[in-house]
Amino acid sequence: MLVCFSRCAQTRICTKSCLWSLVASNQFFQHHCLHIHAIRMKSSVIAPAEPEVGYLKRVIKRVGWLDYSRSKLKRSAYILYENAADRIQYSKFFKEFHMPDTFYSWFLVTELHVWMLMVRTMAEGEEGRFVRNNIIEAMWEDVSTRVKKLEPTNSSEIKAQLQELSEQFQAAIIGYDEGLLSDDKILAGVVWRIFLQQHCSDPENVECLVHYIRKQVKLFDEMIRDDILLSPDIKWIELPQKFGT
């Protein structure tokens, strides 16, 4: 079971072995984008059609050239991920939401924050999608390193654990997207099901996390493009105080 993993919340990213081809595919990203688009079409007014893109710009987009160099964007993506992995107060999340100090709890907290970074970067067109892909690549490199330290001699079990995490991650991203684009009741249900794993008897914990997500996403929305794509320096807010504390 994933919840039986030992403590490793402080282990940092330290490998370049890319597991992206194993745990996430282009098909998932296409599904993710289509899913968000479908929800937005239902929940918001349709925006005016954009002017037709010129021939040269279509060629540039097809070839894959971006406004910023790929090396700079990839560097920014890894910095964004490290901003999450190194700056999140994991111990506080474990304490506030009564989570065991295990690898799986670490993954649930990281997954939530990576998703919020994905939401923000996806608003920046081609460059944003490239950064998003590399944030997730960085996350899986980190996950792979941690899992190997916990199960260093059993490659088949490592592969099975990674596959299980991959499937959960894909489902979680779609769930969080729908919750974000819906009202707080829907988001609360998503938080209870995914982050709290349906093990929460205190509704204030759910409310606290919903407020945290809304406020953090709003803060990201207020950041300008260059602060995300070129010089990322993410500030994570404090968890909101629960009533009676």
Side-chain angles (χ1 to χ4, degrees):
M1 294 294 291
L2 288 170
V3 293
C4 295
F5 280 125
S6 63
R7 299 168 180 262
C8 66
Q10 301 302 319
T11 308
R12 300 183 61 184
I13 181 171
C14 60
T15 183
K16 293 295 181 181
S17 58
C18 178
L19 292 174
W20 182 233
S21 60
L22 171 65
V23 296
S25 65
N26 288 332
Q27 184 178 4
F28 162 60
F29 281 133
Q30 293 168 5
H31 175 76
H32 177 219
C33 297
L34 289 173
H35 179 79
I36 295 178
H37 178 69
I39 296 175
R40 284 176 175 164
M41 290 291 287
K42 293 179 181 178
S43 61
S44 61
V45 177
I46 299 177
E50 295 182 358
E52 184 178 353
V53 178
Y55 173 75
L56 179 58
K57 198 162 187 178
R58 289 201 303 271
V59 171
I60 290 174
K61 184 176 290 188
R62 190 180 304 118
V63 172
W65 298 341
L66 303 174
D67 291 343
Y68 306 134
S69 73
R70 288 180 178 270
S71 60
K72 288 182 179 179
L73 292 173
K74 188 178 183 72
R75 174 180 174 274
S76 293
Y78 275 71
I79 291 174
L80 284 169
Y81 175 73
E82 289 178 351
N83 276 189
D86 293 347
R87 295 184 178 183
I88 297 170
Q89 296 181 334
Y90 287 93
S91 59
K92 190 167 185 178
F93 276 87
F94 296 165
K95 179 181 178 181
E96 291 295 327
F97 301 111
H98 309 291
M99 305 169 75
D101 187 359
T102 63
F103 171 83
Y104 191 54
S105 294
W106 171 87
F107 182 79
L108 290 173
V109 176
T110 303
E111 172 183 76
L112 173 65
H113 290 78
V114 165
W115 163 71
M116 288 190 280
L117 291 174
M118 291 171 63
V119 170
R120 179 60 186 87
T121 54
M122 278 294 291
E124 299 299 340
E126 290 295 317
E127 290 89 352
R129 283 189 284 275
F130 182 79
V131 171
R132 176 206 59 183
N133 291 359
N134 280 276
I135 290 172
I136 301 175
E137 178 180 296
M139 182 191 75
W140 286 118
E141 288 181 6
D142 194 9
V143 168
S144 173
T145 299
R146 295 169 189 268
V147 171
K148 287 176 181 178
K149 288 185 176 182
L150 296 171
E151 299 286 345
T153 60
N154 194 332
S155 59
S156 61
E157 186 169 346
I158 290 174
K159 185 176 180 180
Q161 296 288 0
L162 290 173
Q163 181 62 36
E164 186 174 347
L165 288 174
S166 170
E167 292 170 359
Q168 182 202 301
F169 179 72
Q170 294 178 32
I173 295 308
I174 294 173
Y176 282 134
D177 282 342
E178 185 170 5
L180 181 65
L181 295 170
S182 304
D183 59 28
D184 285 354
K185 292 181 180 178
I186 301 299
L187 182 55
V190 172
V191 163
W192 176 77
R193 185 176 69 254
I194 297 175
F195 186 88
L196 298 173
Q197 296 286 290
Q198 304 181 30
H199 299 303
C200 177
S201 58
D202 185 354
E204 287 190 6
N205 281 342
V206 178
E207 182 182 20
C208 174
L209 202 50
V210 167
H211 289 171
Y212 175 77
I213 291 171
R214 294 288 190 199
K215 191 172 182 180
Q216 185 68 67
V217 170
K218 182 177 183 296
L219 181 64
F220 284 170
D221 285 344
E222 294 170 352
M223 297 180 66
I224 64 174
R225 177 182 176 87
D226 285 357
D227 286 348
I228 288 291
L229 298 184
L230 290 183
S231 304
D233 186 22
I234 298 300
K235 306 298 183 184
W236 300 101
I237 64 173
E238 295 285 338
L239 283 170
Q241 288 290 323
K242 293 185 290 184
F243 295 109
T245 59

